[in-house]
Amino acid sequence: MNLMERITGMVMRPKETIEDISENPYIEEAVLIVGISAVFYAISAYLMQSKIIYDYSGMDVSGMETFKLITTVTPIIMGLIGVFVMWVIAAGIVHFISVALGGEGKFIQMLVVYGYAYIPIMISTVVGIILMNFVDPVTISISSTGASNNSMADFMSNPFYQASLVSGTILKLWSIGLVFMGVRHIHGLSGNKALIAVALPLLSLLFGIVMTLLSSSLMG
């Protein structure tokens, strides 16, 4: 399979495609996919920053413009770098746990398959970018007494924002499912052991869902 066949195969024929990737793990293809995901994530971070406007007029602080610039640029840069870092770390943890459970696969195989598993995440980010364009910007006033949560509550209750969260969660579960299939094939583990190997990404996703629901409840 070539690159495009593998990309479409991860959507249409994941089992067959994972077998092909594990036999010929081209790291440059995984880097390309993760890199594109990182770019989309950075665009998403920029769009999110543009939708939440912080008003610091109630504070008498020098250098506030520099502070606002840093808070705007940092999420974008961290998005670009963080996606690559988390890819390597997550693949390493899953591989280590798989080996500890008796797996016999190689790290390069797990790394490349994990990279291809970013395809649903890439799709979720693109969907999120599209939906966020329909979300109205909100202004949060910052003063010495704190920030007003009313505007943020309105933002988080926006149906387009909530649709973005739901679609993102579903597609991330799909991504974890692909990693699960990769672990089973590459390391030759049973379903139960493979589930243990992907427990950390799954728990991280569940933790994110809980925190989002908690934040919505507190702001509502």
Side-chain angles (χ1 to χ4, degrees):
M1 294 183 180
N2 57 35
L3 175 61
M4 289 307 301
E5 289 174 337
R6 287 181 167 186
I7 290 175
T8 56
M10 289 296 280
V11 177
M12 306 299 296
R13 306 178 307 277
K15 183 178 179 180
E16 176 186 337
T17 305
I18 288 172
E19 290 175 358
D20 181 73
I21 293 171
S22 63
E23 291 175 5
N24 301 284
Y26 301 127
I27 187 64
E28 63 273 14
E29 294 181 356
V31 170
L32 176 62
I33 292 170
V34 176
I36 295 174
S37 299
V39 171
F40 282 135
Y41 192 87
I43 294 172
S44 177
Y46 172 77
L47 184 59
M48 178 68 76
Q49 289 289 332
S50 68
K51 295 295 182 177
I52 304 176
I53 304 169
Y54 292 96
D55 178 15
Y56 297 95
S57 59
M59 297 183 66
D60 183 17
V61 181
S62 60
M64 189 56 67
E65 288 301 321
T66 301
F67 175 75
K68 288 193 288 185
L69 177 62
I70 292 173
T71 56
T72 299
V73 173
T74 299
I76 298 173
I77 296 176
M78 291 303 296
L80 286 170
I81 300 174
V83 170
F84 279 100
V85 173
M86 289 307 299
W87 165 46
V88 176
I89 292 176
I93 292 174
V94 171
H95 175 72
F96 176 80
I97 296 174
S98 299
V99 171
L101 292 172
E104 300 178 350
K106 297 179 181 178
F107 175 63
I108 185 65
Q109 293 174 302
M110 195 69 253
L111 186 63
V112 175
V113 168
Y114 211 115
Y116 270 93
Y118 266 71
I119 291 173
I121 295 177
M122 185 194 309
I123 296 173
S124 75
T125 307
V126 173
V127 171
I129 291 172
I130 295 172
L131 291 174
M132 285 299 294
N133 278 291
F134 295 97
V135 177
D136 294 328
V138 297
T139 300
I140 299 177
S141 299
I142 307 295
S143 65
S144 57
T145 58
S148 172
N149 285 332
N150 293 335
S151 296
M152 196 62 190
D154 293 338
F155 179 85
M156 297 185 72
S157 63
N158 187 288
F160 289 106
Y161 176 76
Q162 292 184 339
S164 175
L165 290 179
V166 171
S167 63
T169 299
I170 294 173
L171 289 166
K172 286 173 184 175
L173 282 171
W174 178 14
S175 176
I176 294 173
L178 292 175
V179 175
F180 172 81
M181 294 175 63
V183 168
R184 290 199 65 180
H185 177 75
I186 292 171
H187 289 284
L189 298 177
S190 65
N192 289 337
K193 288 185 177 181
L195 186 60
I196 294 173
V198 300
L200 185 60
L202 186 58
L203 288 174
S204 297
L205 176 60
L206 293 176
F207 178 76
I209 295 173
V210 171
M211 291 303 296
T212 299
L213 293 176
L214 182 60
S215 298
S216 300
S217 176
L218 291 176
M219 291 181 180

